[in-house]
Amino acid sequence: MPEIVEPTKSYLSVHYELRSAKQVERRMLIDALHTLGEDGFRISDYQYTGMGSIYFVDFVLFHKLLNITDMRSVEYDVEIRRRVRFNKPFTFVKIFINDVADVIPKLSVRKRHLLWMDYDSFLSEKTAIDIVLACSRLTPGSILLVTVDVEPPIRNGNPQKWKEYFDEEVGHYVPPDESFAKSNLPRVNIDVISNVISSATAPRGVEFFPLFSFLYRDGHQMLTMGGMFVAEDEKKRMLESRVLKASYIRTDFGAKPCEIKVPTLTRKERIFLEGSMPCADGWRPRGFELDEDDVRAYREIYRFFPVYAELFL
Amino acid sequence: MKQLANAHPRKRFFLEMFTRDLSLEDCVLDLIDNSVDALHRTRHLDLSPPLLAELEIPKQAAKAKLPSIEVVYTDLEFRITDNCGGIEREDALNEVFSFGHSAGFKGGQLGVYGIGLKRALFKIGKHFRVESKTTGGGFVAELDVDTWAKADEKPEDWTIPLEFIPGVNADAAAGTSIFITRLTDEVKMRIKDKTLEAALHTAIGTTYAVFMDRCVRIRVNGKDVRPMEIPVGESAAVTPGHKNISFENGKVEIKLIATLAARIRGEWSSERAGWYVLCNNRVVLAADKSELTGWNSGMPKFHSKYNGFIGLAFFQSESPGLLPWTTTKRGVNGDSVVFREARVQMLLVARGIISFLNEMYPSDLYEQPQQREIADAIAPSEIRSFATKPSSDFTFARRVSALKPTVRVQFDAKRSDVERIRRHLRKSAWGASRIAESTFNYFLENECPK
Ligand SMILES: C[S@@+](CC[C@H](N)C(=O)[O-])C[C@H]1O[C@@H](n2cnc3c(N)ncnc32)[C@H](O)[C@@H]1O
């Protein structure tokens, strides 16, 4: 029996606030949403549906920075239902102790949605169905984000075993000739999710406009994909939006994803670097060792880099 | 210099290719469709309202008075006779025998492509006689197919001789009889095989499950065909998923229903579970569990735990050509735009039941989910009762206390192993479950500390 890795109950083991790569991702998403807001998409009127778990970091940020007030958090782990309710960050957040698959079909067709299925598990038959449901339900203008764990889905496995896993779970959507080498697993996930989205969206009169394809790791390597369902009108506005200029945007899931790398820096180094940003390609600080890759990585993320101090609010 | 290549049709093509993949059941259903369409033309029977809701269900005595369609066969002859109103002479001259309908022809709501009758006649035998009478007059068309096929030179060869005969005085007597003789070898073989009758009963009973005994009676070799029951269930604790949509600017209306099945002899039947697709109330797909209706693509793969799932998709239109049926009308054209769009909605409507059934069969055997009680209390219901219900999401009355914080852990272990642990613990008085509990706690504390 191959050993399928148990989904991590990450919310119980990791302080969500302290995952810096994830935080950079959230800040980039907010940056993009903010720009979309300026370019004619009324993001503050969107309904946010997310999986806030017990920390609700995404909820806090989306409310405070984007002024979204119509929010619902879905949690299917009944064992933490009271913790979830207890930690609800604002009065207007509605809590659903339910599977996201049961909430999606009931999302209003009169609203625009921001739906983030922020799984801590691997892509599976179940998550693929959730994505299909979202693509079947969300109105044009709505934004879908999906996060999955892209580590090998079977511990002590090998490419053959991983292939079997994907064939069994989402065989339909796996492109022929896909390599299941460990280094290619993020690509396998991207291709599958992209196929799920396009096949589920095709029968509707809307298109999916890709915007995000992030890879990052705080512990496990994670992938977030996202974009907007667009009809002609939204597509036109999207093509004119300045959001497309942002370096983290990916309008083609075939492209290399945006890898979020958070270099380890001391506070003093960070302050120094910040004063030199944005820097030219190939620039390196003279006063201490830091290779070009790290500088480049820092240049990509410094605007979104969370600052942690002892104080924890 | 421009030349003209010959692109004339050939009779052989129609005789051989059109009939090639057709089963005898397909033919019989095509012939029945023709009879039912006569009811539409002459008696204004409208097949398009979902579930024919306004049509009363006749009492037993009244059932005998319904128009009827009789299918009778021996190994020499195949006969289908109806008193459904007959075919007007003018339609006989211009439409009924031509391949394909003219653009404006409003022949009915089940006949779509204008090939069904011809195809069925050619498939079953080499000689046919179609006799039809309305109050306006009657006709007979008789044809020896082999002789007809030989003359294939000029457009006039593509005609069928009609003879006008007197009509009838009363509407109730108006109808059509079709006699087919010199049966083809294929058909003779099917007839010799004694399973044909049962197969026809099933095919007809399934296909016309919604009409039968309400607007028409159908008999095969003198025996009444019984409509198939679509076992929809009902319970005060459950609201079915139900949605109405319209496509093509309202020219196609769709009603989707997903609900729990009624139990048959205390069990959910896997044979009856799945999606039913109906076009103008004619069942074109029954109990489907394939990708066509979304299983394993947006819905999970079908599994016995979904035996309690019943989905109904009604497609209705005044223009049957807009509906997603295949040419045999015994399947759905999965690529049709209308069907693909509808399938998106089917997934959403089905979702609640799927989750209900998932929770009903948790991977943990010792749990007793509330869903079981609800399922046990489901009573059979009439699909017609859905016709007038408003749209709703599938919900069930969930008890808040339904969740127990503990599960019962239970397993078999070798006596010798339990004894070994007992000795190791030096607790000779401890029973097996006490020992199991202590090993469980040991693991919990040492291997997965908080
Ligand atoms: C990674 S956490 C969410 C973190 C949060 N979105 C943030 O940005 O801080 C995922 C949560 O979703 C829950 N979850 C996973 N799959 C789910 C599903 N199908 N339906 C509802 N909740 C789910 C998990 O139990 C967990 O609490």
Side-chain angles (χ1 to χ4, degrees):
Chain A
M1 263 296 282
E3 191 183 351
I4 298 195
V5 183
E6 280 290 306
T8 46
K9 286 201 171 185
S10 60
Y11 53 90
L12 297 180
S13 53
V14 192
H15 256 293
Y16 260 84
E17 287 93 338
L18 297 182
R19 301 184 141 195
S20 48
K22 172 109 184 161
Q23 183 62 9
V24 169
E25 173 187 73
R26 291 193 195 102
R27 299 295 294 250
M28 285 176 166
L29 289 170
I30 288 168
D31 189 61
L33 293 169
H34 182 81
T35 312
L36 287 172
E38 288 184 335
D39 292 347
F41 296 95
R42 303 177 47 137
I43 300 294
S44 59
D45 290 345
Y46 278 45
Q47 174 177 299
Y48 178 56
T49 302
M51 302 173 171
S53 196
I54 55 173
Y55 292 102
F56 292 99
V57 186
D58 42 348
F59 285 73
V60 172
L61 292 173
F62 287 175
H63 175 56
K64 291 194 175 169
L65 301 179
L66 297 169
N67 194 22
I68 296 179
T69 54
D70 185 358
M71 301 183 129
R72 33 193 71 190
S73 183
V74 189
E75 175 57 60
Y76 71 171
D77 185 350
V78 282
E79 286 172 26
I80 55 167
R81 62 185 164 166
R82 298 178 59 212
R83 287 189 78 181
V84 168
R85 291 224 161 82
F86 181 80
N87 286 293
K88 183 175 110 153
F90 309 108
T91 53
F92 49 76
V93 178
K94 289 205 183 80
I95 305 290
F96 289 77
I97 302 298
N98 214 334
D99 194 309
V100 71
D102 290 315
V103 172
I104 293 169
K106 299 178 186 170
L107 291 177
S108 167
V109 288
R110 268 168 243 104
K111 289 179 182 173
R112 291 185 166 187
H113 296 272
L114 172 57
L115 170 63
W116 189 355
M117 300 197 279
D118 190 2
Y119 300 108
D120 29 29
S121 52
F122 304 105
L123 189 58
S124 63
E125 179 187 9
K126 165 80 183 69
T127 49
I129 288 176
D130 296 347
I131 299 171
V132 172
L133 291 171
C135 295
S136 306
R137 184 68 177 180
L138 295 183
T139 45
S142 297
I143 295 168
L144 171 67
L145 302 167
V146 181
T147 302
V148 289
D149 187 328
V150 294
E151 296 286 329
I154 291 172
R155 216 177 318 187
N156 305 328
N158 54 43
Q160 185 52 35
K161 289 266 171 335
W162 302 330
K163 177 176 186 326
E164 283 164 17
Y165 171 88
F166 280 96
D167 282 346
E168 170 69 23
E169 295 287 328
V170 287
H172 252 53
Y173 303 105
V174 178
D177 306 332
E178 193 80 296
S179 148
F180 289 81
K182 184 167 182 218
S183 59
N184 202 48
L185 291 181
R187 175 46 50 195
V188 173
N189 278 278
I190 295 174
D191 289 346
V192 169
I193 293 177
S194 158
N195 286 346
V196 174
I197 293 177
S198 57
S199 71
T201 312
R204 305 178 67 201
V206 291
E207 221 182 290
F208 189 77
F209 195 110
L211 290 171
F212 310 110
S213 173
F214 291 116
L215 270 184
Y216 61 95
R217 69 161 76 239
D218 290 303
H220 280 199
Q221 183 156 51
M222 307 295 287
L223 164 75
T224 297
M225 292 171 67
M228 186 189 279
F229 296 97
V230 293
E232 247 165 69
D233 172 48
E234 289 84 11
K235 186 168 179 180
K236 189 162 151 281
R237 258 184 294 157
M238 187 59 94
L239 288 170
E240 285 164 5
S241 170
R242 288 160 311 138
V243 79
L244 302 186
K245 299 214 175 75
S247 63
Y248 53 77
I249 289 288
R250 296 289 181 276
T251 55
D252 173 7
F253 288 145
K256 231 169 116 337
C258 168
E259 268 191 75
I260 299 175
K261 286 210 195 90
V262 183
T264 6
L265 299 168
T266 66
R267 190 149 50 97
K268 200 165 168 188
E269 288 164 352
R270 230 180 57 81
I271 293 167
F272 174 80
L273 282 180
E274 188 132 333
S276 319
M277 287 293 135
C279 64
D281 245 341
W283 177 87
R284 273 161 55 171
R286 248 179 265 143
F288 55 94
E289 308 78 355
L290 196 65
D291 58 42
E292 271 177 41
D293 283 347
D294 280 344
V295 174
R296 214 172 292 123
Y298 185 75
R299 189 181 61 186
E300 289 304 309
I301 64 154
Y302 75 94
R303 284 182 54 219
F304 313 106
F305 199 10
V307 185
Y308 295 125
E310 189 102 23
L311 183 68
F312 175 58
L313 288 177
Chain B
M1 190 176 63
K2 277 212 178 121
Q3 304 280 321
L4 293 176
N6 183 3
H8 290 168
R10 307 227 195 276
K11 287 178 179 174
R12 298 206 68 80
F13 168 77
F14 282 89
L15 294 175
E16 285 165 16
M17 292 309 291
F18 264 33
T19 59
R20 201 173 179 87
D21 309 321
L22 220 54
S23 71
L24 186 51
E25 287 92 325
D26 295 333
C27 295
V28 172
L29 297 177
D30 264 330
L31 295 171
I32 295 175
D33 282 350
N34 268 290
S35 298
V36 176
D37 271 344
L39 286 174
H40 171 69
R41 288 193 308 269
T42 62
R43 314 257 163 91
H44 311 292
L45 171 69
D46 184 3
L47 301 175
S48 69
L51 291 161
L52 305 172
E54 58 269 42
L55 215 69
E56 290 293 313
I57 302 175
K59 296 261 159 9
Q60 202 55 42
K63 263 185 203 167
K65 294 202 195 98
L66 286 173
S68 71
I69 301 170
E70 305 264 356
V71 178
V72 177
Y73 60 82
T74 66
D75 49 7
L76 294 176
E77 178 190 86
F78 205 98
R79 200 147 37 102
I80 173 164
T81 314
D82 72 57
N83 58 350
C84 296
I87 301 167
E88 299 291 347
R89 282 176 177 172
E90 195 183 337
D91 286 343
L93 286 171
N94 299 318
E95 293 290 343
V96 172
F97 294 101
S98 73
F99 292 92
H101 288 315
S102 58
F105 182 62
K106 290 248 183 299
Q109 293 172 309
L110 299 185
V112 191
Y113 304 102
I115 48 174
L117 173 69
K118 281 74 68 179
R119 208 160 61 165
L121 296 173
F122 292 151
K123 177 82 186 191
I124 297 175
K126 295 288 178 205
H127 186 274
F128 66 79
R129 178 187 151 91
V130 177
E131 180 183 314
S132 192
K133 292 173 182 164
T134 68
T135 45
F139 72 86
V140 176
E142 194 160 357
L143 196 75
D144 182 88
V145 178
D146 286 337
T147 320
W148 181 76
K150 273 190 209 123
D152 196 2
E153 307 283 304
K154 40 193 188 310
E156 297 81 77
D157 290 333
W158 285 76
T159 52
I160 288 175
L162 282 195
E163 186 192 327
F164 285 168
I165 56 171
V168 287
N169 298 328
D171 258 338
T176 304
S177 308
I178 297 174
F179 303 87
I180 308 170
T181 49
R182 298 187 42 217
L183 304 183
T184 58
D185 289 343
E186 230 179 291
V187 170
K188 273 194 229 157
M189 213 147 70
R190 278 305 303 278
I191 289 177
K192 278 205 201 102
D193 173 353
K194 293 299 174 216
T195 58
L196 175 63
E197 198 172 285
L200 284 177
H201 273 265
T202 309
I204 297 170
T206 305
T207 305
Y208 304 99
V210 177
F211 306 127
M212 231 190 284
D213 293 350
R214 296 176 68 203
C215 41
V216 65
R217 281 170 68 208
I218 304 177
R219 302 208 286 185
V220 173
N221 289 338
K223 294 183 199 117
D224 275 313
V225 179
R226 319 204 115 271
M228 164 194 61
E229 288 289 336
I230 301 178
V232 289
E234 184 177 56
S235 138
V238 176
T239 315
H242 184 177
K243 190 174 206 163
N244 296 307
I245 6 177
S246 70
F247 280 121
E248 304 267 348
N249 301 320
K251 287 206 228 87
V252 179
E253 298 285 344
I254 301 173
K255 178 187 269 305
L256 303 175
I257 295 163
T259 190
L260 289 171
R263 297 218 164 136
I264 301 171
R265 284 182 292 281
E267 297 223 32
W268 275 332
S269 135
S270 105
E271 221 175 292
R272 291 292 169 85
W275 274 104
Y276 292 76
V277 178
L278 297 91
C279 290
N280 280 348
N281 286 309
R282 187 193 193 275
V283 175
V284 295
L285 206 57
D288 187 77
K289 303 168 183 69
S290 75
E291 281 172 30
L292 192 56
T293 51
W295 296 98
N296 197 18
S297 62
M299 308 222 312
K301 295 184 191 86
F302 189 84
H303 179 277
S304 58
K305 73 176 169 184
Y306 302 123
N307 283 351
F309 176 90
I310 297 275
L312 302 161
F314 295 91
F315 292 75
Q316 320 281 152
S317 179
E318 300 275 334
S319 319
L322 297 175
L323 300 177
W325 33 23
T326 56
T327 66
T328 55
K329 290 177 274 181
R330 295 185 75 195
V332 162
N333 171 8
D335 288 336
S336 101
V337 175
V338 168
F339 187 72
R340 290 192 27 141
E341 288 193 37
R343 187 167 47 194
V344 169
Q345 303 302 324
M346 285 160 66
L347 303 177
L348 296 168
V349 171
R351 185 63 230 174
I353 317 274
I354 297 296
S355 299
F356 179 95
L357 295 169
N358 283 340
E359 285 177 48
M360 179 161 163
Y361 300 103
S363 38
D364 219 317
L365 280 174
Y366 302 108
E367 293 200 20
Q368 260 302 342
Q370 184 200 354
Q371 281 83 353
R372 299 248 172 108
E373 283 169 42
I374 292 180
D376 289 341
I378 292 278
S381 153
E382 277 278 337
I383 51 172
R384 265 176 294 279
S385 66
F386 288 104
T388 49
K389 283 192 187 142
S391 294
S392 55
D393 284 326
F394 175 86
T395 49
F396 67 98
R398 198 188 279 272
R399 266 202 315 273
V400 184
S401 61
L403 183 83
K404 273 212 323 230
T406 59
V407 294
R408 195 154 179 78
V409 183
Q410 204 177 325
F411 58 93
D412 291 315
K414 272 201 207 144
R415 283 175 196 283
S416 57
D417 289 347
V418 175
E419 191 47 42
R420 263 174 70 194
I421 304 178
R422 188 184 281 127
R423 249 183 280 128
H424 183 86
L425 293 172
R426 290 169 224 235
K427 300 281 185 198
S428 55
W430 281 16
S433 62
R434 181 91 191 262
I435 286 173
E437 204 180 320
S438 82
T439 51
F440 180 90
N441 288 337
Y442 175 86
F443 191 88
L444 199 65
E445 271 160 39
N446 293 286
E447 298 295 326
C448 3
K450 278 249 164 99

